[in-house]
Amino acid sequence: MDQTPMTPRGEELLRQELVRLKTVERPRIVAAIAEARSHGDLSENAEYDAAKEEQGMCEARIKDIEGKIASANVIDVTKLKNPTGGKLKVIFGSTVTLVDVDTDKEITYKIVGEDEADINSNLISYKTPIAKGLLGKQEEDEIEIKIPKGTICYEVVKVEYI
């Protein structure tokens, strides 16, 4: 079974979602199915069909989360030491400050697992082209990354394990 890399925050968010699905959503859906059943003929009961479909999606998400938690490889970069005191490498969970070489625009990303990725919060999945291009790089490295819009060139300004 493949391991699912995630940060401690990502694992906690998944556990919270799992609790919510099991204790709030599942009972609500069961009640909706019971209510729809009480209306009689199930063959033409749109409320029943919708509730059953929602139940299927909820159960699938529960199984998905349980599988990810079971195979989780929680990586807490705050506990990593830098024995040489040299430049830190970009790894899963690290926070990277970059400068776009063409525009001098600065941006900071944190490389996280798929479930906690949120581009609006500058949390990018380790599977994205940008994250893949950054992994293993150090401060002052210049990199070219192919993205769907073309190629971008960044300089790594700072790498932090926070």
Side-chain angles (χ1 to χ4, degrees), residues 107-124:
I107 188 150
T108 301
Y109 291 118
K110 182 169 179 126
I111 300 173
V112 297
E114 290 181 280
D115 285 296
E116 61 185 308
D118 178 7
I119 193 64
N120 295 324
S121 299
N122 291 350
L123 302 171
I124 60 171

Side-chain angles (χ1 to χ4, degrees), residues 31-104:
I33 290 171
E35 173 69 22
R37 273 192 180 140
S38 71
H39 296 153
D41 186 11
L42 298 180
S43 65
E44 295 182 17
N45 190 329
E47 289 174 0
Y48 177 78
D49 292 340
K52 288 297 281 183
E53 185 174 332
E54 186 178 11
Q55 181 182 39
M57 291 187 308
C58 180
E59 294 303 321
R61 181 63 180 153
I62 287 171
K63 282 188 108 158
D64 180 48
I65 292 172
E66 288 174 338
K68 287 178 180 178
I69 289 173
S71 67
N73 178 12
V74 180
I75 301 168
D76 187 353
V77 294
T78 63
K79 294 187 172 142
L80 297 178
K81 305 280 188 244
N82 186 7
T84 63
K87 296 177 186 176
L88 296 176
K89 284 190 174 185
V90 178
I91 60 172
F92 179 91
S94 60
T95 301
V96 187
T97 303
L98 308 166
V99 170
D100 186 315
V101 173
D102 297 327
T103 65
D104 281 338

Side-chain angles (χ1 to χ4, degrees), residues 120-156:
N120 295 324
S121 299
N122 291 350
L123 302 171
I124 60 171
S125 167
Y126 70 99
K127 290 187 173 184
T128 63
I130 292 174
K132 286 180 180 179
L134 290 172
L135 291 173
K137 303 301 185 238
Q138 298 177 317
E139 289 177 8
E140 300 176 11
D141 283 354
E142 259 191 39
I143 51 168
E144 285 188 2
I145 302 172
K146 290 184 181 175
I147 60 171
K149 291 182 180 178
T151 302
I152 51 176
C153 188
Y154 285 124
E155 180 181 340
V156 179

